[in-house]
Amino acid sequence: TSADEETHLRLWIPHLDTLRQEAGIDAKNLDLGELQQAILKTSYFEGMLSGFIDVVHSADELKVNSSVQLNAIQYEDGRMDSLRFEADISDEWLQAELISWDQGNTLMEGQLRIPFIAGDPATFDERFFEREINGQARVYESSLAYWFGFIPDGLPEQTAGTITIQTELSGIAGSPELTGDMEITSGLFSGIRIDRVAVGLDYIHEDGAVDFTGNVVKDQKSILGFNASVPLHLDLRQAQINLPSDEDSVHVDIRTDDFDLALLNSYVDPEMLRNLAGHIEGEVTLTGIVENLEMNGRMQLTRGTMRIVPAGITLSETAGDLLFEPNKISLREFTTRSGPGRLRAFGSVDLNALQPGSINFELTANQFRAANTPEYNFLINLDARMEGTVTEPQLRGDLGFLTGQVNLQNFGDRAVETVVLEEEETDTFDFYDALTMELNVDFGRQFLVRNRQYLDMEIVLNGSLDLLKERNEELQMFGTLEGIRGFARPLGRNFDMDEAIVSFFGPVENPQLNIRTRYEPPQSPGVSVFYVIDGTLQDPEFRFESEPEMELQDIVSYTIFGKPFYELDSWEQVVAGSGSSPTAADIALDVLLDRVEMLASQRLGIDVVQIDNTRSGSRNTTSIKTGWYLNQRTFFAILNEVGGARPQTLFMLEYLLHENLELIITQGDDSREGIDLRWKLDY
């Protein structure tokens, strides 16, 4: 509107509930929950809204009168009976009031009275900035759990307490003063009782700084305290906030007295750290102008423990001494235990105006448990040095595996696909990406590689490798490891290792394989069957060979039955292979032990194929069960035991009387023949 026109606006909001309308949102039935989700798409908000807003605006005056109330508020898990906001602008003053209730109790309230003129503060008369201002805000004594209910993640575990907050605004418009206090009493943090947590704020315009104070009291003793003075200037004449400049002075003082790190357990990522404990004692001060701040002081950690979840290890008896100097931070004799051994480190980081420069650290470990997970278990020695700068770190030295175990996942399963997720690009600094690494890695004579899921296999490797990484490049490994003993167990037979070579030509996760294992059937001297694995770890190839050279069906026949194919009975030939039909001999090329049974039943026209290998002392017996379902209730099976001094053959007829009751008739040439009833109970 033009300057000589007067504008009137009245918005009246009748009492609106938040019943969802599938047809959408309209002015007569405003669903705040749907509106909130449509705009923020984060959390669900619900309430009942009523109130009014009156606005009168002309060239000579601005008047605003409003009153808005929310009832039955719900946000995340938080609930509030009502919240009312009132504001009035008239005669160049703004007055506002906020108050909320729940279950008949006042939760919080606040008032504000400040001069207000619509326009550019730079054009205001000086008398405007000499008007008094005042305001108060208060959160009455209430439970921490109540307020955390309005936060998406809710209250951390083992956290409780009573909180009060009070702030006050005073002074004049050109020189405001703000004070505030927050206090938590009867606190519980990570399950540990705390007497009191207090934080204070004090802003005085004339000083051009905001002062912070804090104190944590446990068992009537201060365990953590801090004081800080940070430059800050509220320039209402220019309508701006002036943050610290390079020439402004800063002072921060942090003190700890037997501070228990266990207080932080509920506030760290449980997928990374657990069971955090230890005691910190010392004092650190930060002083000087912003462009040239200096630190002085000392912090000591004693009796530290923590569980490193990704590595599956617990660090105990952790102790360290940090010395803060104006141009350097020094780590003095850091030590921690994992397993039977320890890791030690010491060194320093140079500082220039608190910006890290050169780094120089030495790390040594002796019989240190570096990993203990279902996939990895390592006991190491280490002698390494970290040099360079924080932005271009360099790690060099020697790493030795005293013992190690790697359990392969999905080795031999060709159906497994590698899925690469696209990650969002980020400009944040990654220390590992910037790291340059040159480590000589020695594998002792107890480094075991094991697989159980598809192929039962164990190989002990020995040798040394070079572990290399360039800045912003992937980790690479070069060298060859040789097998010193081991076995593979395809088709239920134990193949002893003949030779094994694992060669690395770059990618750590995909070495070249050349593994050859041998089985000599005890019933056939002079015959050797070889199970060969080559290719790469991620794309292995499996095959059978023999001496003397034989057809695949004879190789499988010697492996399972200890005799050539032509000597097998008819049922044995079905399992071992015959002619050009797809048989276990063909299947053995594609799959390993526990998959032979499944695919044999699919490809041989046999409903059930089970191959079990058992040992008792020096005796090795293989049981092969082949069976057919004659109808839904009747099952016929032939059970053959081979490999022993006296092969056994049993015929079994199973009839399902009820869902969990079977009649079993067994015919054979030993004491196991007869009639049985088998009752099954699943629980």
Side-chain angles (χ1 to χ4, degrees), residues 32 38 44 50 114 122 134 177 337 362 424 639:
L32 293 180
Y44 179 68
S50 60
I114 59 175
N134 62 74
E177 297 181 5
R337 174 180 289 277
E362 291 189 13
E424 296 182 1
L639 180 64

Side-chain angles (χ1 to χ4, degrees), residues 401-446:
F401 288 92
L402 298 178
T403 63
Q405 181 173 314
V406 176
N407 294 317
L408 300 179
Q409 302 296 312
N410 301 320
F411 179 69
D413 180 14
R414 304 189 181 189
V416 176
E417 297 181 0
T418 301
V419 179
V420 179
L421 300 178
E422 294 184 2
E423 298 181 357
E424 296 182 1
E425 293 185 2
T426 177
D427 295 331
T428 57
F429 171 72
D430 192 317
F431 183 86
Y432 176 78
D433 286 343
L435 179 66
T436 298
M437 184 186 304
E438 294 182 14
L439 285 178
N440 177 262
V441 185
D442 181 71
F443 293 81
R445 300 182 66 84
Q446 298 186 56

